[in-house]
Amino acid sequence: MKRLLTLILASGISYTGYAQNTQSKMLNYPKTKKDNTTDTYFNTVVEDPYRWLENDMAEDTKAWVTEQNEVTQGYLSNISFRDKIKSRLETLWNYERISAPSKEGDYIYFSKNDGLQNQSVIYRQKKGGKPEVFLDPNKFSTDGTTSLAGLDFSKDGSLAAYQISEGGSDWRKVIVMKTADKSIVGETLIDVKFSGIAWKGNEGFYYSSYEKPKGSELSAMTQHHKLYYHKLGTPQNQDVLIFGGVTTPRRYIGAYITEDQRFLVISAANSTSGNELYIQDLKNPSGKIISVVANMTNEHQVLDVSGNTLFIETNLKAANNRVVKVDFSNPAPQNWVDVIPETVNVLSARTGGGKLFANYLKDATSLIMQYDMNGTLERTIDLPGVGTASGFGAKKTENELYFTFTSYVYPPTIFKYTITTGKSELYQKSGVKFDPALYESKQVFYNSKDGTRVPMIVTYKKGIKLDGTNPTMLYGYGGFNISLTPAFSTSNIILLEQGGIYAVANLRGGGEYGEKWHVAGTKLQKQNVFDDFLSAAQYLIDNKYTSSARLAIAGGSNGGLLVGAAMTQRPEMFKVAFPAVGVLDMLRYNKFTAGAGWGYDYGTAEDSKEMFQYLLNYSPYHALKKGVAYPATLVTTADHDDRVVPAHSFKFAARLQEFHSGDNPVLIRIETKAGHGAGKSTAQVIAEQADKWAFMFYNMGLTVK
C-alpha cells in the first residue's frame, strides 16, 4: 500500500505519493490497427496482427511512429524535473574527453571531444609539435547524426581510409585520403557493411560487404558477405571478389593483413559463434588462399607472425581460450603447439613490442599478464584497482603502449606503459566531475534458480541505508559470449548522486567464464539467462538494496530481449522496464538483415517443434497476456536500426498497449536518424538519458531535487 505521507530522503529524492499515476490514467494511446496475419509452425497457428509494422517503408508505419512519439513526448514533457535532469547531464558531460593515442607514420593520432560536441574530433601531432585537427566528423552533417565509423591507416601512415555512418546505419561509405595534405584519393566506396579495412601497402585494401538488398536496406535480409580488393584509383565496380559469393557463401567474412604485410588472414562464419580460418602468402605471386581451420565449431584469430610462425588465439580444446603457434607450411590444428595454455580464467590476447599480453577475466574483472613470444611469463601488470583494463596492444617495434582503466566508480583513465620495464605512468586523467571516494562498488555472488553461482557488481553512494527504499537499476545482457566488465558511465551519476543503486549481473550466455558459460545460456537453455536475471532481482530485494516498487530493469539488443522476457514472466517484480533496441519477436528475428546469424544463440522456429515451442513460450511479443498489469515501460528503438530492426519494438509496444491493464504507462520512444546505438550524437544521447531517468524516478513516485 502506498504511503500518502511525503517522505523526504537525505539523498535529495522526495516521495510524491500518487502523483505519478495521474498522468498514466490520462494517457490516450494511438489506436493501432490489427490484421489477420498468421503463421503456421508444426501445425500450430500463431497470430501476428501487427505484422504490417514490419514494413518500415510504408506510410502507415511512419504515421504510427509519429503518433507514438507524440504521445511519449507529451508524457515525458509533463514530468516537472526532466529538464533539471537534462541540465545536470549537460553539466556532467561538459568536460574534455581524450582517447588513448596511436602512432601512424610520423604522427600520433587521438580523438578529442571538448565536452558537448556531437562527435569526437580526430587530432594528430608530431613529436614536440602542437595538435592539429585531422578529421572533424561534426562537419559530416549539420545535426551531428553522421558519424565516423572507422579509421584505418596504411602501414607507412601516408594513407587513411575512413568510414562514415549516416543516421546510425550499419551501411557505410569509405573515403580515402592522403594524410600529408588530406586530399581525397579516388571515389567514395558505398554500400559497405560489417567491414574493416585491411591495407595492402599503398596500392589498395580489402573490405567486406553484401549485395544491396531489394526493398528496404534497413530490414531486408543480408545473407552472403563478400570480401573484395579495391585498388586505389579504380572505380568500385571493378573491385575484385577475393572470397565469398557463389563459390564460398558465408554470412560473415572479415579480413586483416599481418603487421609484416606478408599474410592475408580471412575469417569466415555463418553465425556469431565459431569461424573458419584461411591465410594467403601475399609475398608469393602464386600463393593461394589455404585453409587453416575448415569448420566453424570453434573460434580462432591470428595474433601475430614471426617469419613462418603463426601465433593464433583459439578456443579449440580450450573453452577459456589459449595461444598456440604453428608453422605456415603446415598450419592444421593437429600441429598447433601451446604458447599460453588454457587457465581457469578466460583469455583475450594481444601483442605489442614483441610481447604477448594476456588480458584475463577473473570474475568479470581484468587480470593482465605479460609473456614473451615463447610463452614465458615476464610479469603480472599492476592495475589501479579492480576493474577493466583495455588497449594492451602496439606495433612490434614500439616500446610503449597506452591502456585505459575504468570501473563503475573509476572514470576512464589512460596510462602509458613501458614494455621493457613494466612501468606504468598516468597519461590522461578523466575530467568528469565525480569523486570516487564518495561511492563504492562491490562484487557479490548469488545463486540462480538451478543453484548456479552468478556474480553481480553493485554500486552506490557510501553510507546509504539498505532499507528497501533505494531506487535501483538492474542491468544485464547474457548472450553472444559478450562479457559485461566494469565501466564508468557519466549518465549513471544521476542515479548514484540521488542515492540510487546500479547493479550489473554477469549472466549465463555471456563470456565471463568462457564458452561453457556462453553455451549454458543458448537455445534450449536460454531460460537460464532469464532465471539468472530474475534471481539477481530477488537477491537485491531480499538483501534490502531495494524493493519491487523501486526496482527498474534495463538492457539493450539481446539485453532488450532479456528485459522483455523478465517483465512478461514476472511483471509484478519490477516497477519500471527499459527494453532497448530489443530482439522481441523470437519467431521472426531471423527474417531480417543479418539476424539469421544469431541462430547459434537462439535457435530458430524452423529448427524443430521443440525449438519452436521453446521460443514461442518466452518470446516477449508472444508472451504478453491480456489483462495483466505490466511495469511502467519505456521501449526504445531507432528508425535506422538495421541490426535489430525497429519492427521488434514496434510490434511489442503495440501489443503491450493493447493487453496492459494497469495504470503504469507503457510507451515507446523512437529516435530518428539513429541506429543500434553507435554513432549517436551527444545531444541525442543526453536527451535519451534524461528521458530514461525522468521516466524511472517519476514512476517510482520520486522527484529529483
Side-chain angles (χ1 to χ4, degrees), residues 392-410:
F392 281 92
K395 294 181 175 65
K396 191 172 293 189
T397 56
E398 295 177 0
N399 187 42
E400 294 175 343
L401 58 78
Y402 299 84
F403 71 90
T404 301
F405 181 83
T406 184
S407 77
Y408 295 115
V409 294
Y410 195 108

mmCIF file of all heavy atoms in Angstrom, residues 392-410:
data_model
loop_
_atom_site.group_PDB
_atom_site.id
_atom_site.type_symbol
_atom_site.label_atom_id
_atom_site.label_comp_id
_atom_site.label_asym_id
_atom_site.label_seq_id
_atom_site.Cartn_x
_atom_site.Cartn_y
_atom_site.Cartn_z
ATOM 1 N N PHE A 392 45.949 -3.098 -24.405
ATOM 2 C CA PHE A 392 47.304 -3.626 -24.345
ATOM 3 C C PHE A 392 47.709 -4.194 -25.703
ATOM 4 O O PHE A 392 47.748 -5.400 -25.928
ATOM 5 C CB PHE A 392 47.416 -4.696 -23.255
ATOM 6 C CG PHE A 392 47.543 -4.112 -21.882
ATOM 7 C CD1 PHE A 392 46.418 -3.884 -21.105
ATOM 8 C CD2 PHE A 392 48.771 -3.754 -21.370
ATOM 9 C CE1 PHE A 392 46.514 -3.332 -19.843
ATOM 10 C CE2 PHE A 392 48.892 -3.202 -20.106
ATOM 11 C CZ PHE A 392 47.755 -2.991 -19.333
ATOM 12 N N GLY A 393 48.029 -3.293 -26.621
ATOM 13 C CA GLY A 393 48.473 -3.685 -27.951
ATOM 14 C C GLY A 393 49.292 -2.566 -28.555
ATOM 15 O O GLY A 393 49.049 -1.384 -28.286
ATOM 16 N N ALA A 394 50.286 -2.920 -29.356
ATOM 17 C CA ALA A 394 51.131 -1.922 -30.007
ATOM 18 C C ALA A 394 51.856 -2.593 -31.165
ATOM 19 O O ALA A 394 51.840 -3.820 -31.313
ATOM 20 C CB ALA A 394 52.142 -1.334 -29.014
ATOM 21 N N LYS A 395 52.481 -1.784 -31.995
ATOM 22 C CA LYS A 395 53.282 -2.329 -33.088
ATOM 23 C C LYS A 395 54.516 -3.031 -32.527
ATOM 24 O O LYS A 395 54.964 -2.753 -31.409
ATOM 25 C CB LYS A 395 53.664 -1.210 -34.056
ATOM 26 C CG LYS A 395 52.463 -0.612 -34.798
ATOM 27 C CD LYS A 395 52.909 0.475 -35.758
ATOM 28 C CE LYS A 395 51.728 0.973 -36.592
ATOM 29 N NZ LYS A 395 50.700 1.632 -35.766
ATOM 30 N N LYS A 396 55.074 -3.907 -33.321
ATOM 31 C CA LYS A 396 56.167 -4.758 -32.862
ATOM 32 C C LYS A 396 57.412 -3.953 -32.490
ATOM 33 O O LYS A 396 58.181 -4.325 -31.599
ATOM 34 C CB LYS A 396 56.502 -5.793 -33.941
ATOM 35 C CG LYS A 396 57.435 -6.903 -33.479
ATOM 36 C CD LYS A 396 57.550 -7.989 -34.537
ATOM 37 C CE LYS A 396 56.245 -8.729 -34.706
ATOM 38 N NZ LYS A 396 56.376 -9.923 -35.578
ATOM 39 N N THR A 397 57.625 -2.828 -33.162
ATOM 40 C CA THR A 397 58.836 -2.040 -32.944
ATOM 41 C C THR A 397 58.722 -1.059 -31.786
ATOM 42 O O THR A 397 59.707 -0.406 -31.422
ATOM 43 C CB THR A 397 59.178 -1.246 -34.217
ATOM 44 O OG1 THR A 397 58.045 -0.434 -34.583
ATOM 45 C CG2 THR A 397 59.515 -2.189 -35.367
ATOM 46 N N GLU A 398 57.550 -0.935 -31.202
ATOM 47 C CA GLU A 398 57.350 0.069 -30.160
ATOM 48 C C GLU A 398 57.683 -0.471 -28.781
ATOM 49 O O GLU A 398 57.523 -1.662 -28.497
ATOM 50 C CB GLU A 398 55.909 0.584 -30.203
ATOM 51 C CG GLU A 398 55.589 1.349 -31.489
ATOM 52 C CD GLU A 398 54.144 1.802 -31.566
ATOM 53 O OE1 GLU A 398 53.383 1.522 -30.626
ATOM 54 O OE2 GLU A 398 53.773 2.430 -32.574
ATOM 55 N N ASN A 399 58.132 0.440 -27.901
ATOM 56 C CA ASN A 399 58.451 0.069 -26.530
ATOM 57 C C ASN A 399 57.450 0.638 -25.539
ATOM 58 O O ASN A 399 57.546 0.389 -24.346
ATOM 59 C CB ASN A 399 59.868 0.538 -26.158
ATOM 60 C CG ASN A 399 60.306 0.029 -24.793
ATOM 61 O OD1 ASN A 399 60.060 -1.128 -24.447
ATOM 62 N ND2 ASN A 399 60.925 0.902 -24.008
ATOM 63 N N GLU A 400 56.492 1.401 -26.056
ATOM 64 C CA GLU A 400 55.463 1.965 -25.199
ATOM 65 C C GLU A 400 54.087 1.652 -25.763
ATOM 66 O O GLU A 400 53.912 1.566 -26.981
ATOM 67 C CB GLU A 400 55.623 3.491 -25.082
ATOM 68 C CG GLU A 400 56.881 3.927 -24.380
ATOM 69 C CD GLU A 400 57.056 5.442 -24.385
ATOM 70 O OE1 GLU A 400 56.385 6.112 -25.209
ATOM 71 O OE2 GLU A 400 57.855 5.941 -23.584
ATOM 72 N N LEU A 401 53.156 1.485 -24.867
ATOM 73 C CA LEU A 401 51.761 1.356 -25.272
ATOM 74 C C LEU A 401 50.904 2.131 -24.282
ATOM 75 O O LEU A 401 51.388 2.571 -23.230
ATOM 76 C CB LEU A 401 51.336 -0.109 -25.374
ATOM 77 C CG LEU A 401 51.448 -1.021 -24.146
ATOM 78 C CD1 LEU A 401 50.312 -0.799 -23.144
ATOM 79 C CD2 LEU A 401 51.434 -2.480 -24.583
ATOM 80 N N TYR A 402 49.644 2.293 -24.625
ATOM 81 C CA TYR A 402 48.727 3.038 -23.775
ATOM 82 C C TYR A 402 47.524 2.155 -23.452
ATOM 83 O O TYR A 402 46.973 1.503 -24.335
ATOM 84 C CB TYR A 402 48.270 4.315 -24.472
ATOM 85 C CG TYR A 402 49.411 5.254 -24.783
ATOM 86 C CD1 TYR A 402 50.172 5.090 -25.942
ATOM 87 C CD2 TYR A 402 49.741 6.287 -23.914
ATOM 88 C CE1 TYR A 402 51.229 5.941 -26.220
ATOM 89 C CE2 TYR A 402 50.793 7.149 -24.184
ATOM 90 C CZ TYR A 402 51.537 6.969 -25.346
ATOM 91 O OH TYR A 402 52.593 7.800 -25.621
ATOM 92 N N PHE A 403 47.162 2.126 -22.187
ATOM 93 C CA PHE A 403 45.981 1.359 -21.822
ATOM 94 C C PHE A 403 45.038 2.236 -21.003
ATOM 95 O O PHE A 403 45.446 3.225 -20.389
ATOM 96 C CB PHE A 403 46.339 0.077 -21.069
ATOM 97 C CG PHE A 403 46.862 0.257 -19.664
ATOM 98 C CD1 PHE A 403 45.991 0.274 -18.572
ATOM 99 C CD2 PHE A 403 48.225 0.382 -19.416
ATOM 100 C CE1 PHE A 403 46.461 0.423 -17.274
ATOM 101 C CE2 PHE A 403 48.708 0.539 -18.126
ATOM 102 C CZ PHE A 403 47.831 0.557 -17.049
ATOM 103 N N THR A 404 43.768 1.866 -21.036
ATOM 104 C CA THR A 404 42.732 2.599 -20.308
ATOM 105 C C THR A 404 42.188 1.720 -19.196
ATOM 106 O O THR A 404 41.908 0.535 -19.409
ATOM 107 C CB THR A 404 41.589 3.006 -21.253
ATOM 108 O OG1 THR A 404 42.108 3.824 -22.298
ATOM 109 C CG2 THR A 404 40.511 3.772 -20.504
ATOM 110 N N PHE A 405 42.057 2.301 -18.029
ATOM 111 C CA PHE A 405 41.487 1.570 -16.896
ATOM 112 C C PHE A 405 40.217 2.272 -16.440
ATOM 113 O O PHE A 405 40.150 3.499 -16.369
ATOM 114 C CB PHE A 405 42.471 1.481 -15.731
ATOM 115 C CG PHE A 405 41.918 0.707 -14.564
ATOM 116 C CD1 PHE A 405 41.983 -0.680 -14.551
ATOM 117 C CD2 PHE A 405 41.303 1.354 -13.501
ATOM 118 C CE1 PHE A 405 41.449 -1.409 -13.498
ATOM 119 C CE2 PHE A 405 40.766 0.638 -12.439
ATOM 120 C CZ PHE A 405 40.837 -0.752 -12.442
ATOM 121 N N THR A 406 39.207 1.490 -16.103
ATOM 122 C CA THR A 406 37.940 2.047 -15.636
ATOM 123 C C THR A 406 37.225 1.044 -14.734
ATOM 124 O O THR A 406 37.537 -0.152 -14.737
ATOM 125 C CB THR A 406 37.032 2.421 -16.832
ATOM 126 O OG1 THR A 406 35.845 3.055 -16.355
ATOM 127 C CG2 THR A 406 36.631 1.182 -17.627
ATOM 128 N N SER A 407 36.288 1.554 -13.964
ATOM 129 C CA SER A 407 35.366 0.703 -13.200
ATOM 130 C C SER A 407 34.084 1.502 -13.033
ATOM 131 O O SER A 407 33.959 2.620 -13.539
ATOM 132 C CB SER A 407 35.953 0.323 -11.835
ATOM 133 O OG SER A 407 35.865 1.402 -10.924
ATOM 134 N N TYR A 408 33.140 0.956 -12.306
ATOM 135 C CA TYR A 408 31.878 1.661 -12.119
ATOM 136 C C TYR A 408 32.048 2.950 -11.314
ATOM 137 O O TYR A 408 31.194 3.842 -11.386
ATOM 138 C CB TYR A 408 30.843 0.747 -11.465
ATOM 139 C CG TYR A 408 30.456 -0.427 -12.335
ATOM 140 C CD1 TYR A 408 30.743 -1.733 -11.958
ATOM 141 C CD2 TYR A 408 29.822 -0.217 -13.542
ATOM 142 C CE1 TYR A 408 30.396 -2.810 -12.770
ATOM 143 C CE2 TYR A 408 29.466 -1.283 -14.360
ATOM 144 C CZ TYR A 408 29.771 -2.579 -13.972
ATOM 145 O OH TYR A 408 29.433 -3.639 -14.788
ATOM 146 N N VAL A 409 33.141 3.050 -10.548
ATOM 147 C CA VAL A 409 33.401 4.268 -9.776
ATOM 148 C C VAL A 409 34.759 4.876 -10.120
ATOM 149 O O VAL A 409 35.246 5.767 -9.413
ATOM 150 C CB VAL A 409 33.321 3.994 -8.252
ATOM 151 C CG1 VAL A 409 31.901 3.632 -7.852
ATOM 152 C CG2 VAL A 409 34.291 2.897 -7.832
ATOM 153 N N TYR A 410 35.373 4.440 -11.195
ATOM 154 C CA TYR A 410 36.682 4.944 -11.610
ATOM 155 C C TYR A 410 36.556 5.428 -13.054
ATOM 156 O O TYR A 410 36.526 4.625 -13.991
ATOM 157 C CB TYR A 410 37.728 3.823 -11.505
ATOM 158 C CG TYR A 410 39.172 4.260 -11.554
ATOM 159 C CD1 TYR A 410 39.962 4.220 -10.417
ATOM 160 C CD2 TYR A 410 39.759 4.698 -12.738
ATOM 161 C CE1 TYR A 410 41.301 4.599 -10.450
ATOM 162 C CE2 TYR A 410 41.089 5.081 -12.780
ATOM 163 C CZ TYR A 410 41.850 5.034 -11.634
ATOM 164 O OH TYR A 410 43.180 5.416 -11.674
#
